Amino acid sequence: KNEVEQSPQNLTAQEGEFITINCSYSVGISALHWLQQHPGGGIVSLFMLSSGKKKHGRLIATINIQEKHSSLHITASHPRDSAVYICVVNTGTASKLTFGTGTRLQVTL
Amino acid sequence: DSGVTQTPKHLITATGQRVTLRCSPRSGDLSVYWYQQSLDQGLQFLIQYYNGEERAKGNILERFSAQQFPDLHSELNLSSLELGDSALYFCASSVAPGGQYEQYFGPGTRLTVT
């Protein structure tokens, strides 16, 4: 079992839909990151969380440390949101980073 | 534009060869991370440097090595290349080590080993 599990692996949505991507982890962490990888390969860091909730535009990320779970929500989805979303956890003081396998999102018109 | 630069963008080389990938972090960032993304493995953390010193090691092969220079740029050296080393190699930088700091990713170097 991977230390970081994401679901779903693939997601197709219509423009305007509310989207949720989940990340569960099995280790103690100091922080969790959500990354977006565009079809061309470029990677953008969306959020860094250690507790609570963060919002940036149409994106919302939450984390529940007790349940070892984080969610990434996209409101009013748009085709330009089509990308792979990757959950990354940072464990311990050694800055060890463990990646989820990613969720491939396709938003259609 | 993240402010992190990587060169070259693309690299094609033969098995057994050695290559060097270069990364310049964002101005002011002291920490550099290297990642490998292959088709079958997803993104993997290789190694992290902070202000010239190795800080953390991930799944980095012994054939691979890295260093961070006094001007804070970093190089990843890959030697005795195998077909399986074909991948996208990303560099990221952050102001300091530790997961509480946001990482800024470079555009990546696509390595093809033939």
Side-chain angles (χ1 to χ4, degrees):
Chain A
K1 191 179 189 298
N2 291 333
E3 289 179 326
V4 181
E5 297 273 357
Q6 281 186 241
S7 63
Q9 284 193 328
N10 294 284
L11 183 55
T12 301
Q14 283 202 312
E15 185 177 11
E17 283 186 18
F18 180 85
I19 287 160
T20 296
I21 298 169
N22 296 298
C23 175
S24 295
Y25 51 92
S26 57
V27 294
I29 68 168
S30 55
L32 181 145
H33 302 253
W34 281 101
L35 308 178
Q36 179 192 54
Q37 186 169 27
H38 291 282
I43 297 177
V44 174
S45 176
L46 298 175
F47 294 104
M48 188 283 296
L49 295 160
S50 52
S51 65
K53 177 179 173 177
K54 285 190 176 179
K55 185 175 189 291
H56 184 242
R58 296 179 295 106
L59 302 178
I60 302 165
T62 64
I63 189 168
N64 185 318
I65 297 293
Q66 286 74 29
E67 293 186 6
K68 292 188 164 66
H69 181 268
S70 176
S71 292
L72 175 68
H73 305 286
I74 305 175
T75 61
S77 60
H78 189 276
R80 65 174 173 266
D81 298 326
S82 298
V84 175
Y85 293 84
I86 304 167
C87 171
V88 191
V89 300
N90 181 280
T91 54
T93 56
S95 299
K96 180 172 183 256
L97 294 149
T98 306
F99 289 80
T101 51
T103 295
R104 186 175 298 277
L105 171 66
Q106 179 83 28
V107 181
T108 59
L109 292 169
Chain B
D1 182 3
S2 67
V4 179
T5 59
Q6 287 187 250
T7 56
K9 277 191 178 176
H10 302 276
L11 195 47
I12 301 174
T13 189
T15 54
Q17 295 297 306
R18 173 190 166 94
V19 297
T20 297
L21 312 184
R22 184 188 167 105
C23 168
S24 292
R26 270 189 346 148
S27 176
D29 284 358
L30 299 179
S31 194
V32 168
Y33 302 76
W34 285 99
Y35 301 97
Q36 179 193 53
Q37 186 177 40
S38 52
L39 277 173
D40 57 347
Q41 294 270 1
L43 264 167
Q44 289 196 88
F45 166 62
L46 294 178
I47 198 164
Q48 180 200 7
Y49 280 82
Y50 172 64
N51 208 18
E53 301 284 328
E54 183 183 303
R55 181 78 177 194
K57 229 171 185 175
N59 300 323
I60 188 165
L61 299 172
E62 283 194 16
R63 300 183 286 108
F64 296 0
S65 65
Q67 58 184 132
Q68 187 179 27
F69 293 86
D71 68 353
L72 301 177
H73 90 272
S74 179
E75 292 181 358
L76 179 67
N77 300 297
L78 316 175
S79 61
S80 303
L81 284 167
E82 302 175 359
L83 294 177
D85 298 327
S86 296
L88 261 173
Y89 291 84
F90 287 100
C91 159
S93 73
S94 64
V95 63
Q100 69 270 41
Y101 298 99
E102 186 167 356
Q103 293 186 31
Y104 297 85
F105 283 78
T109 292
R110 185 174 296 277
L111 173 67
T112 302
V113 182
T114 61

